[in-house]
Amino acid sequence: MADPSRKALCPRRNRQHARRGPDAARRIGGGPVTHLALVRDGEDGIAVRQRPTPRPGPGELLLEPLVAGICGTDLQILARLRSDPAPVLGHEGIARVLATGPGTTGPAPGAVVIVNPTHPHDDSFLLGHNVDGLWAERTLIPAAAVTGGLVLTLPAYPSGALPALIEPLASVLYSYDITGAVLGAAPRTLVIWGDGIIGHLAAHFWRRRHPETTIVQIHHTDRGLRWSDRHGSADIALRHDDPGLPRALSRAAGPVAGLLATPRTATVPALVTLDATIRAELFVDVHGGLAPGRIATNAGALDIARIRAYNCGGEPNPPRAERFARPFAAPLTVFGHRGVANSHLAAAAAELDADPAGYGPLVTHETDLATAAELLTAILRGERAFRGERVIKAAVTIGAAA
């Protein structure tokens, strides 16, 4: 059961985002204007700190983040499993344009926008990775992202904490589009390996679109299974170490689509298990990251990391995948993607707006910046629950009215 005090400490308020304006920034002791941000603090910590508020230069935008999400990739960065250098993380959420630099063409001040975090052709922009992200009262968006069309105006968007789900749901929609293009039809069985936010978003979205598809969701912990029993959308829910899992997978009706919504350490074992147990034709979206190098499968030693990188930001179209013969089973097709296209972000915002009651329970925690630091610290200690409730998705409310 959830801690009854959580509603007062981490309320999930359903509200519209009110304009606060540039005066929300601070001027301390007659010095430079500053704002609050969640900043990586030393080796492994994170804390709320004052940061100088920049003025937008030519082609740049200054944003006021409204709601930002906490992503598994953020946790990997904080745990030093990735080397991304940005002091301020956060690549999911929505913001309001506060100011534009000289000659900037794009959304005008006052517009509510979402920033596509991945530039398909410019590695110098990766929001919340090598450029300061949205866990702050102010975020500067560089000209390369603005001129690259990565700042998308949202004429309509879901209320409350739901905007934190736009980017991860957009990734699910990209996966859905590639799966449809490669299969040409809906699979008879969908196996989702993962019980984090991507896994649950995928289960709910596929259930809405294809009620005829049998959805199998593979979980990491008993706590995750119990949460899915109350809120999940899968037909079959099992732990990854359940003795009955190989038999259940071997009986899956084909064609079978697999979605590996896994952390880096679990991607290869998940792929190997699906390949070893499913004899029907198998189409696997390697959504989770993995280290470079070849992986031993029934189809031979495959460079899965290379295949996963083929599709980025909606390009190419049609998407790329690789198909491999297996000696004692139907073929295996592998694909993946990085980032999303603007069209996926717009479609995700519309999907959330169409079904707020269905997606709403996935935002399990809504916090301010200070409480977000506490939540992140707890997760980095290995805790999967915060204040009595399992963390599926945490949304940080920054610029919204109280």
Side-chain angles (χ1 to χ4, degrees):
M1 294 292 291
D3 182 347
S5 67
R6 186 184 67 84
K7 290 187 178 180
L9 294 167
C10 303
R12 293 180 57 245
R13 297 179 290 270
N14 185 19
R15 64 197 173 204
Q16 296 296 325
H17 303 292
R19 183 186 303 274
R20 291 172 68 200
D23 58 344
R26 297 159 183 81
R27 188 180 299 276
I28 298 178
V33 174
T34 65
H35 62 272
L36 295 177
L38 270 177
V39 182
R40 296 164 70 181
D41 189 27
E43 286 293 313
D44 301 304
I46 189 163
V48 179
R49 295 281 185 259
Q50 294 282 349
R51 302 264 293 172
T53 301
R55 290 188 176 184
E60 296 177 336
L61 292 174
L62 182 64
L63 303 184
E64 176 195 18
L66 302 175
V67 177
I70 294 175
C71 173
T73 305
D74 302 320
L75 300 175
Q76 292 174 19
I77 296 172
L78 291 173
R80 306 182 72 81
L81 300 177
R82 298 174 56 109
S83 58
D84 307 73
V88 178
L89 307 184
H91 59 273
E92 303 172 344
I94 62 172
R96 178 178 292 110
V97 177
L98 284 183
T100 61
T104 300
T105 58
V112 174
V113 300
I114 188 166
V115 181
N116 192 328
T118 306
H119 198 302
H121 309 297
D122 185 353
D123 290 340
S124 69
F125 178 80
L126 190 56
L127 184 68
H129 292 252
N130 57 18
V131 174
D132 277 352
L134 300 175
W135 292 357
E137 292 178 329
R138 300 290 183 268
T139 300
L140 185 70
I141 303 300
V146 179
T147 58
L150 300 183
V151 183
L152 178 66
T153 300
L154 293 174
Y157 51 92
S159 64
L162 283 177
L165 296 177
I166 295 176
E167 195 277 341
L169 181 56
S171 190
V172 168
L173 300 190
Y174 194 3
S175 168
Y176 175 81
D177 286 350
I178 298 175
T179 302
V182 173
L183 269 75
R188 293 182 65 190
T189 305
L190 171 67
V191 179
I192 300 170
W193 198 300
D195 58 357
I197 188 59
I198 292 293
H200 285 297
L201 283 170
H204 187 72
F205 175 78
W206 276 85
R207 171 59 64 236
R208 277 170 53 81
R209 290 295 180 94
H210 296 287
E212 75 283 5
T213 296
T214 299
I215 299 176
V216 180
Q217 188 171 9
I218 301 171
H219 294 67
H220 181 65
T221 65
D222 285 334
R223 184 187 285 269
L225 273 174
R226 290 194 295 271
W227 194 93
S228 290
D229 285 342
R230 298 193 304 273
H231 305 292
S233 299
D235 299 294
I236 301 170
L238 297 167
R239 269 185 60 124
H240 70 100
D241 55 358
D242 189 313
L245 178 61
R247 177 174 174 81
L249 294 177
S250 69
R251 300 174 67 180
V256 178
L259 172 61
L260 305 187
T262 44
R264 289 175 69 89
T265 54
T267 301
V268 172
L271 175 62
V272 169
T273 300
L274 295 187
D275 173 53
T277 56
I278 296 176
R279 293 292 178 258
E281 189 167 9
L282 178 60
F283 300 81
V284 179
D285 175 11
V286 185
H287 197 286
L290 72 165
R294 292 186 173 273
I295 298 170
T297 72
N298 285 326
L302 307 182
D303 189 346
I304 302 297
R306 176 183 60 84
I307 297 171
R308 178 177 178 268
Y310 283 160
N311 305 300
C312 181
E315 300 178 3
N317 188 17
R320 290 185 62 184
E322 288 202 17
R323 188 171 186 265
F324 304 95
R326 296 189 291 172
F328 304 108
L332 165 68
T333 301
V334 182
F335 51 91
H337 72 270
R338 292 178 57 246
V340 297
N342 285 357
S343 59
H344 296 125
L345 292 168
E351 172 72 9
L352 292 166
D353 204 33
D355 185 24
Y359 288 103
L362 298 180
V363 183
T364 53
H365 297 75
E366 184 180 352
T367 79
D368 55 16
L369 287 170
T371 309
E374 296 178 31
L375 182 148
L376 287 163
T377 300
I379 293 176
L380 292 171
R381 288 197 303 258
E383 301 174 19
R384 297 291 296 270
F386 182 69
R387 295 181 175 173
E389 185 166 352
R390 177 176 172 80
V391 179
I392 302 298
K393 188 64 175 182
V396 186
T397 300
I398 304 167

